[in-house]
mmCIF file of all heavy atoms in Angstrom:
data_model
loop_
_atom_site.group_PDB
_atom_site.id
_atom_site.type_symbol
_atom_site.label_atom_id
_atom_site.label_comp_id
_atom_site.label_asym_id
_atom_site.label_seq_id
_atom_site.Cartn_x
_atom_site.Cartn_y
_atom_site.Cartn_z
ATOM 1 N N SER A 1072 0.759 18.107 3.140
ATOM 2 C CA SER A 1072 -0.358 17.292 2.686
ATOM 3 C C SER A 1072 -0.220 17.231 1.171
ATOM 4 O O SER A 1072 0.234 18.176 0.536
ATOM 5 C CB SER A 1072 -1.695 17.903 3.096
ATOM 6 O OG SER A 1072 -1.915 19.104 2.433
ATOM 7 N N ALA A 1073 -0.579 16.110 0.590
ATOM 8 C CA ALA A 1073 -0.372 15.917 -0.849
ATOM 9 C C ALA A 1073 -1.274 16.807 -1.688
ATOM 10 O O ALA A 1073 -0.948 17.141 -2.806
ATOM 11 C CB ALA A 1073 -0.592 14.452 -1.220
ATOM 12 N N ASP A 1074 -2.428 17.213 -1.147
ATOM 13 C CA ASP A 1074 -3.354 18.016 -1.936
ATOM 14 C C ASP A 1074 -3.488 19.447 -1.455
ATOM 15 O O ASP A 1074 -4.236 20.223 -2.013
ATOM 16 C CB ASP A 1074 -4.731 17.359 -1.972
ATOM 17 C CG ASP A 1074 -5.322 17.162 -0.594
ATOM 18 O OD1 ASP A 1074 -4.740 17.662 0.394
ATOM 19 O OD2 ASP A 1074 -6.361 16.497 -0.500
ATOM 20 N N GLY A 1075 -2.770 19.831 -0.388
ATOM 21 C CA GLY A 1075 -2.794 21.203 0.086
ATOM 22 C C GLY A 1075 -3.996 21.585 0.920
ATOM 23 O O GLY A 1075 -4.155 22.728 1.277
ATOM 24 N N ILE A 1076 -4.857 20.641 1.268
ATOM 25 C CA ILE A 1076 -6.038 20.946 2.073
ATOM 26 C C ILE A 1076 -5.691 20.719 3.542
ATOM 27 O O ILE A 1076 -5.189 19.664 3.911
ATOM 28 C CB ILE A 1076 -7.237 20.067 1.670
ATOM 29 C CG1 ILE A 1076 -7.606 20.320 0.206
ATOM 30 C CG2 ILE A 1076 -8.432 20.320 2.590
ATOM 31 C CD1 ILE A 1076 -8.654 19.384 -0.330
ATOM 32 N N ALA A 1077 -5.970 21.696 4.380
ATOM 33 C CA ALA A 1077 -5.687 21.574 5.802
ATOM 34 C C ALA A 1077 -6.576 20.501 6.418
ATOM 35 O O ALA A 1077 -7.755 20.375 6.071
ATOM 36 C CB ALA A 1077 -5.912 22.908 6.501
ATOM 37 N N ASP A 1078 -6.009 19.707 7.342
ATOM 38 C CA ASP A 1078 -6.752 18.607 7.951
ATOM 39 C C ASP A 1078 -8.020 19.064 8.646
ATOM 40 O O ASP A 1078 -9.035 18.373 8.624
ATOM 41 C CB ASP A 1078 -5.869 17.853 8.950
ATOM 42 C CG ASP A 1078 -4.817 17.016 8.245
ATOM 43 O OD1 ASP A 1078 -5.050 16.641 7.082
ATOM 44 O OD2 ASP A 1078 -3.770 16.755 8.853
ATOM 45 N N ASN A 1079 -7.998 20.247 9.278
ATOM 46 C CA ASN A 1079 -9.196 20.685 9.995
ATOM 47 C C ASN A 1079 -10.324 21.088 9.053
ATOM 48 O O ASN A 1079 -11.431 21.348 9.487
ATOM 49 C CB ASN A 1079 -8.872 21.819 10.977
ATOM 50 C CG ASN A 1079 -8.278 23.022 10.284
ATOM 51 O OD1 ASN A 1079 -8.050 23.004 9.082
ATOM 52 N ND2 ASN A 1079 -8.013 24.058 11.049
ATOM 53 N N ASN A 1080 -10.071 21.122 7.736
ATOM 54 C CA ASN A 1080 -11.115 21.424 6.747
ATOM 55 C C ASN A 1080 -11.662 20.162 6.090
ATOM 56 O O ASN A 1080 -12.477 20.238 5.194
ATOM 57 C CB ASN A 1080 -10.584 22.352 5.660
ATOM 58 C CG ASN A 1080 -10.313 23.734 6.191
ATOM 59 O OD1 ASN A 1080 -10.919 24.155 7.167
ATOM 60 N ND2 ASN A 1080 -9.398 24.439 5.563
ATOM 61 N N ARG A 1081 -11.203 18.987 6.534
ATOM 62 C CA ARG A 1081 -11.622 17.727 5.926
ATOM 63 C C ARG A 1081 -12.801 17.131 6.688
ATOM 64 O O ARG A 1081 -12.718 16.949 7.886
ATOM 65 C CB ARG A 1081 -10.489 16.720 5.949
ATOM 66 C CG ARG A 1081 -9.369 17.077 5.067
ATOM 67 C CD ARG A 1081 -8.274 16.025 5.197
ATOM 68 N NE ARG A 1081 -7.130 16.511 4.457
ATOM 69 C CZ ARG A 1081 -7.053 16.509 3.149
ATOM 70 N NH1 ARG A 1081 -8.001 15.996 2.428
ATOM 71 N NH2 ARG A 1081 -6.005 16.994 2.537
ATOM 72 N N PRO A 1082 -13.865 16.776 5.992
ATOM 73 C CA PRO A 1082 -14.992 16.155 6.678
ATOM 74 C C PRO A 1082 -14.664 14.731 7.125
ATOM 75 O O PRO A 1082 -15.305 14.190 8.001
ATOM 76 C CB PRO A 1082 -16.104 16.150 5.622
ATOM 77 C CG PRO A 1082 -15.397 16.214 4.323
ATOM 78 C CD PRO A 1082 -14.114 16.985 4.580
ATOM 79 N N TYR A 1083 -13.654 14.096 6.536
ATOM 80 C CA TYR A 1083 -13.360 12.697 6.816
ATOM 81 C C TYR A 1083 -12.042 12.500 7.564
ATOM 82 O O TYR A 1083 -11.521 11.409 7.633
ATOM 83 C CB TYR A 1083 -13.345 11.887 5.521
ATOM 84 C CG TYR A 1083 -12.496 12.510 4.445
ATOM 85 C CD1 TYR A 1083 -11.129 12.287 4.383
ATOM 86 C CD2 TYR A 1083 -13.075 13.340 3.499
ATOM 87 C CE1 TYR A 1083 -10.355 12.873 3.408
ATOM 88 C CE2 TYR A 1083 -12.304 13.928 2.515
ATOM 89 C CZ TYR A 1083 -10.951 13.686 2.473
ATOM 90 O OH TYR A 1083 -10.185 14.267 1.506
ATOM 91 N N GLY A 1084 -11.490 13.554 8.152
ATOM 92 C CA GLY A 1084 -10.296 13.397 8.995
ATOM 93 C C GLY A 1084 -8.997 13.677 8.273
ATOM 94 O O GLY A 1084 -8.970 14.253 7.196
ATOM 95 N N LYS A 1085 -7.905 13.260 8.887
ATOM 96 C CA LYS A 1085 -6.556 13.563 8.404
ATOM 97 C C LYS A 1085 -6.262 12.922 7.050
ATOM 98 O O LYS A 1085 -6.711 11.833 6.746
ATOM 99 C CB LYS A 1085 -5.511 13.083 9.402
ATOM 100 C CG LYS A 1085 -5.336 13.985 10.572
ATOM 101 C CD LYS A 1085 -4.092 13.582 11.325
ATOM 102 C CE LYS A 1085 -3.509 14.838 11.942
ATOM 103 N NZ LYS A 1085 -2.162 14.634 12.396
ATOM 104 N N SER A 1086 -5.443 13.616 6.275
ATOM 105 C CA SER A 1086 -5.002 13.091 4.992
ATOM 106 C C SER A 1086 -3.686 12.343 5.174
ATOM 107 O O SER A 1086 -3.031 12.449 6.205
ATOM 108 C CB SER A 1086 -4.781 14.238 4.012
ATOM 109 O OG SER A 1086 -3.726 15.063 4.475
ATOM 110 N N LYS A 1087 -3.320 11.588 4.171
ATOM 111 C CA LYS A 1087 -1.993 10.977 4.154
ATOM 112 C C LYS A 1087 -0.975 12.096 4.035
ATOM 113 O O LYS A 1087 -1.228 13.112 3.404
ATOM 114 C CB LYS A 1087 -1.841 10.023 2.962
ATOM 115 C CG LYS A 1087 -2.678 8.778 3.067
ATOM 116 C CD LYS A 1087 -2.076 7.842 4.062
ATOM 117 C CE LYS A 1087 -2.840 6.532 4.082
ATOM 118 N NZ LYS A 1087 -2.365 5.651 5.115
ATOM 119 N N ARG A 1088 0.160 11.919 4.638
ATOM 120 C CA ARG A 1088 1.213 12.924 4.624
ATOM 121 C C ARG A 1088 2.505 12.313 4.132
ATOM 122 O O ARG A 1088 2.776 11.147 4.372
ATOM 123 C CB ARG A 1088 1.439 13.475 6.020
ATOM 124 C CG ARG A 1088 0.229 14.160 6.579
ATOM 125 C CD ARG A 1088 0.641 15.453 7.195
ATOM 126 N NE ARG A 1088 -0.501 16.151 7.718
ATOM 127 C CZ ARG A 1088 -1.028 17.204 7.137
ATOM 128 N NH1 ARG A 1088 -0.533 17.686 6.050
ATOM 129 N NH2 ARG A 1088 -2.059 17.812 7.666
ATOM 130 N N ILE A 1089 3.301 13.134 3.491
ATOM 131 C CA ILE A 1089 4.662 12.765 3.152
ATOM 132 C C ILE A 1089 5.548 13.582 4.062
ATOM 133 O O ILE A 1089 5.457 14.809 4.082
ATOM 134 C CB ILE A 1089 4.969 13.050 1.674
ATOM 135 C CG1 ILE A 1089 4.098 12.168 0.807
ATOM 136 C CG2 ILE A 1089 6.451 12.844 1.402
ATOM 137 C CD1 ILE A 1089 4.235 12.434 -0.652
#
Side-chain angles (χ1 to χ4, degrees):
S1072 67
D1074 58 8
I1076 299 173
D1078 287 335
N1079 59 357
N1080 291 334
R1081 292 178 188 285
Y1083 50 85
K1085 281 192 149 194
S1086 64
K1087 291 285 185 185
R1088 298 226 179 255
I1089 295 176

